[in-house]
Amino acid sequence: MQLFYNPTINETTESFSFDKEESKHIIKVLRKKDTDILFVTNGLGLLFKTEITLASDNKCTVQILSVEKIEPSKFQLHLAVAPTKMNDRYEWFLEKATEIGIHEITPIICDRSERKVINKERFEKILLTAMKQSNVLFLPKLNEAVTFKEFIKQKNDGLQLIAHCEETDKKSLKSILKPNENVTILIGPEGDFSEKEIALAVENKFLPVSLGNTRLRTETAAIVACHSVVFVNE
């Protein structure tokens, strides 16, 4: 199934047109024509089966034939991950986490962060492309980048965890995960969280966890955490 995206449609929509860029891709690149079937999602768990009624590369119009609603998962996974020095590593994380089934992402700027500015628009495009390519019907939410201290002050439902490499008392991630439980996990930058940040997280009810016996890159740690939570909920 090839999946397309339109954020404006809902269960009451009867027909709609793709924008010029998407229309050109559908008609010129994919060579779709009148009466061809397209599957579309709004990124909110709805799958629309549509039929092309106007195969124009300026304004491809479709009629909705049926709608299927996918129920959201019984857990929510929120990863707060420090931007990596090399952008392509963070982009890889965004892509793979979307494929695995993440729900929400917040870039956090930490004491040892080497990169403190992100391109949110580019990151959102990567999430959207990954959603369509993997036939996921829920588009992950990408928040604005915030400082570590700002994030710690926010209220997060469910289990709150911080993964770090310091030789302190930590539990293994797999030992404390339970099905159908909301989880927020903090993943630090190259160089890890500072001792001050770890202490602040613990003060704010974040539990220190280990992701294994080896030292992982930021993006690898984020994927390990993401897969672990999703795996427990399968």
Side-chain angles (χ1 to χ4, degrees):
M1 180 181 70
Q2 188 169 23
L3 191 62
F4 297 89
Y5 174 69
N6 188 306
T8 66
I9 56 180
N10 54 48
E11 290 172 292
T12 65
T13 305
E14 296 181 355
S15 65
F16 67 91
S17 298
F18 291 96
D19 62 29
K20 187 175 181 179
E21 182 180 358
E22 189 79 304
S23 294
K24 184 176 181 180
H25 178 72
I26 292 170
I27 305 304
K28 292 294 187 181
V29 178
L30 301 179
R31 299 186 181 280
K32 299 295 184 180
K33 57 187 184 301
D34 285 346
T35 72
D36 279 354
I37 300 298
L38 301 179
F39 290 94
V40 187
T41 184
N42 63 353
L44 299 173
L46 294 179
L47 178 63
F48 301 84
K49 182 179 181 181
T50 73
E51 180 182 36
I52 296 178
T53 56
L54 178 61
S56 168
D57 59 359
N58 285 316
K59 190 178 181 181
C60 177
T61 302
V62 298
Q63 177 183 358
I64 294 178
L65 303 179
S66 63
V67 184
E68 179 182 356
K69 184 176 183 179
I70 305 300
E71 292 300 321
S73 57
K74 295 181 180 180
F75 73 100
Q76 292 290 306
L77 171 59
H78 184 180
L79 288 186
V81 185
T84 53
K85 181 178 179 181
M86 302 299 292
N87 248 335
D88 59 342
R89 290 180 180 171
Y90 204 87
E91 292 172 0
W92 177 84
F93 148 65
L94 294 173
E95 178 183 83
K96 301 311 174 187
T98 301
E99 294 176 13
I100 294 169
I102 197 169
H103 303 98
E104 187 173 357
I105 301 162
T106 301
I108 52 171
I109 310 304
C110 304
D111 290 342
R112 295 172 180 167
S113 290
E114 295 189 58
R115 179 176 294 278
K116 299 186 178 182
V117 178
I118 68 164
N119 187 334
K120 188 169 185 281
E121 182 179 354
R122 176 172 172 79
F123 284 0
E124 287 175 334
K125 288 181 179 179
I126 290 170
L127 294 176
L128 177 57
T129 299
M131 181 194 74
K132 293 192 293 183
Q133 290 180 342
S134 56
N135 286 337
V136 173
L137 300 183
F138 290 91
L139 181 64
K141 179 183 179 184
L142 177 65
N143 298 316
E144 297 286 348
V146 296
T147 66
F148 180 89
K149 290 181 180 179
E150 288 173 327
F151 187 85
I152 286 293
K153 293 177 183 178
Q154 298 176 6
K155 183 179 180 180
N156 299 290
D157 294 329
L159 196 61
Q160 297 186 127
L161 309 174
I162 178 170
H164 65 80
C165 300
E166 290 292 323
E167 295 297 331
T168 61
D169 184 29
K170 295 180 289 186
K171 295 184 177 180
S172 68
L173 177 62
K174 67 178 182 180
S175 71
I176 59 177
L177 291 177
K178 298 178 181 179
N180 304 329
E181 183 176 28
N182 294 341
V183 183
T184 299
I185 306 178
L186 303 175
I187 305 291
E190 295 97 337
D192 203 7
F193 293 112
S194 66
E195 293 182 4
K196 184 178 179 181
E197 287 171 330
I198 295 171
L200 182 60
V202 172
E203 287 176 13
N204 285 271
K205 311 302 181 183
F206 279 81
L207 301 176
V209 295
S210 168
L211 301 179
N213 297 322
T214 59
R215 183 178 292 269
L216 304 175
R217 289 182 180 272
T218 294
E219 69 277 13
T220 309
I223 291 302
V224 168
C226 180
H227 180 264
S228 297
V229 175
V230 174
F231 183 76
V232 165
N233 283 276
E234 286 186 344

